[in-house]
């Protein structure tokens, strides 16, 4: 199916990107998903409902694990409702679950995907952003660089020298199938340095954090809650976060993750966001 000219005009906003058809139709979930769990920062129970949505609408902006699962499994259009048990509306969060995207992927797999139709009952072509020239962003010794390619490859490095298990580690991956994300990326849990977390907890932060929703490393004792789900689990989780953050580059039900060779080192959410802003540059 061809994309109407007016719709394609919405994609002509970046000098760095060429939007191309993937040869597939935009997808949405086949029926509603509802999940309840503990929020990381407030510690309150939070319920999330994800509804099927019309083609060309995209997904709501919320935290990176859910967005990563949607992007990684190919959900192009959905509507997300978040309800929190706390009285403070500003503390509304998506549940942390086990610190990975696995529960979201399992819920998506359970309901399945279906072609998303627009308001006129027509399917819409799914397009992807192909990088047309090299681009990079950096802050201090943190950097993200991307180069044109015909498939998406991500190499992610971390370096926390105060913890030997987290000192100069790398993970590289090629995203050729949707099942790769579900099996190799989604199960990877967020990680933390125990001594830093204890300071935050003493300050009244991350009230929902525990050994049940993060891999904890100690400066003096190493890994505190083994085993890891893979040798590169911390690096794989950084890839998970990156996919969730750059999914915000999506437009009208398109793929958000750029088709490119991407190399990131010591990145974080703020640098991921800067990378998306760079991709959106008109000059």
């Amino acid at each position: 199916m061809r994309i109407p000219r007016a719709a394609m005009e919405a994609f002509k906003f970046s000098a760095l990107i060429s939007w191309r058809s993937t040869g597939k139709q935009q997808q949405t979930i086949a029926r509603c998903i509802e999940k309840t769990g503990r929020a990381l920062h407030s510690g309150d129970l939070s319920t999330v409902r994800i509804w099927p949505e019309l083609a060309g609408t995209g997904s709501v902006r919320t935290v990176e694990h859910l967005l990563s699962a949607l992007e990684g499994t190919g959900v192009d259009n959905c509507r997300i409702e978040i309800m929190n048990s706390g009285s403070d509306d500003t503390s509304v969060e998506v549940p942390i679950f086990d610190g990975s995207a696995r529960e979201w992927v399992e819920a998506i797999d359970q309901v399945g995907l279906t072609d998303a139709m627009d308001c006129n009952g027509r399917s819409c072509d799914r397009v992807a952003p192909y990088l047309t020239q090299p681009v990079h962003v950096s802050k201090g010794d943190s950097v993200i660089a991307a180069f044109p390619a015909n498939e998406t490859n991500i190499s992610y490095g971390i370096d926390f020298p105060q913890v030997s298990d987290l000192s100069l580690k790398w993970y590289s991956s090629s995203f050729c199938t949707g099942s790769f994300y579900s099996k190799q990326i989604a199960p990877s849990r967020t990680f933390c340095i125990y001594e830093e977390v204890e300071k935050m907890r003493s300050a009244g932060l991350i009230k929902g954090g525990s050994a049940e929703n993060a891999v904890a490393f100690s400066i003096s004792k190493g890994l505190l809650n083994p085993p890891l789900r893979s040798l590169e689990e911390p690096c794989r989780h950084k890839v998970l976060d990156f996919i969730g953050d750059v999914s915000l580059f999506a437009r009208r039900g398109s793929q958000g993750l750029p088709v490119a060779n991407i190399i990131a080192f010591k990145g974080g959410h703020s640098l991921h966001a800067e990378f998306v802003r760079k991709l959106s540059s008109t000059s």
Side-chain angles (χ1 to χ4, degrees), residues 27 43 58 77 86 97 108 137 144 165 174 180 207 246 274 277:
Q27 300 286 289
N77 305 277
F97 295 128
I108 293 167
V137 294
I144 301 173
D165 290 338
S174 296
F180 179 88
K207 298 176 182 178
V246 300
E274 183 62 29
R277 285 191 286 270

Side-chain angles (χ1 to χ4, degrees), residues 16-22 128-132 149-151 258-260:
L16 300 171
I17 293 295
S18 170
W19 294 92
R20 307 178 196 172
S21 172
T22 62
Y130 281 73
L131 193 66
T132 59
N150 292 321
E151 63 179 15
V259 179

Side-chain angles (χ1 to χ4, degrees), residues 112-173:
L113 302 184
T114 187
D115 285 353
M117 303 297 173
D118 65 15
C119 58
N120 296 311
R122 297 176 299 192
S123 61
C124 293
D125 196 13
R126 186 178 196 258
V127 297
Y130 281 73
L131 193 66
T132 59
Q133 55 185 286
V135 60
H136 78 279
V137 294
S138 62
K139 183 176 182 180
D141 59 353
S142 301
V143 63
I144 301 173
F147 306 88
N150 292 321
E151 63 179 15
T152 299
N153 303 291
I154 302 177
S155 295
Y156 213 116
I158 62 173
D159 187 23
F160 297 87
Q162 68 272 40
V163 180
S164 60
D165 290 338
L166 298 176
S167 177
L168 203 57
K169 304 293 184 183
W170 284 89
Y171 174 70
S172 298
S173 55

Side-chain angles (χ1 to χ4, degrees), residues 25-61:
Q25 303 304 304
Q26 289 186 21
Q27 300 286 289
T28 188
I29 51 176
R31 60 181 190 274
C32 179
I33 293 171
E34 181 173 322
K35 299 283 290 182
T36 298
R38 189 72 60 184
L40 173 62
H41 296 285
S42 67
D44 294 330
L45 284 176
S46 178
T47 297
V48 176
R49 292 194 186 106
I50 309 174
W51 297 88
E53 187 54 282
L54 296 174
T57 54
S59 41
V60 71
R61 296 188 177 190

Side-chain angles (χ1 to χ4, degrees), residues 254-273:
S254 70
Q255 178 176 311
L257 181 64
V259 179
N261 285 329
I262 301 167
I263 303 171
F265 181 64
K266 296 182 67 172
H269 296 303
S270 61
L271 196 63
H272 297 169

Side-chain angles (χ1 to χ4, degrees), residues 196-240:
E196 296 178 0
V197 168
E198 284 303 294
K199 293 179 182 178
M200 297 174 68
R201 291 174 65 87
S202 298
L205 304 175
I206 56 171
K207 298 176 182 178
S210 74
E212 301 301 317
N213 52 41
V215 181
F217 293 88
S218 168
I219 294 174
S220 59
K221 298 179 181 179
L223 179 61
L224 298 180
N225 54 344
L228 293 175
R229 291 177 178 171
S230 66
L231 290 176
E232 315 92 347
E233 185 172 8
C235 291
R236 293 188 191 213
H237 186 80
K238 297 296 284 188
V239 174
L240 186 157

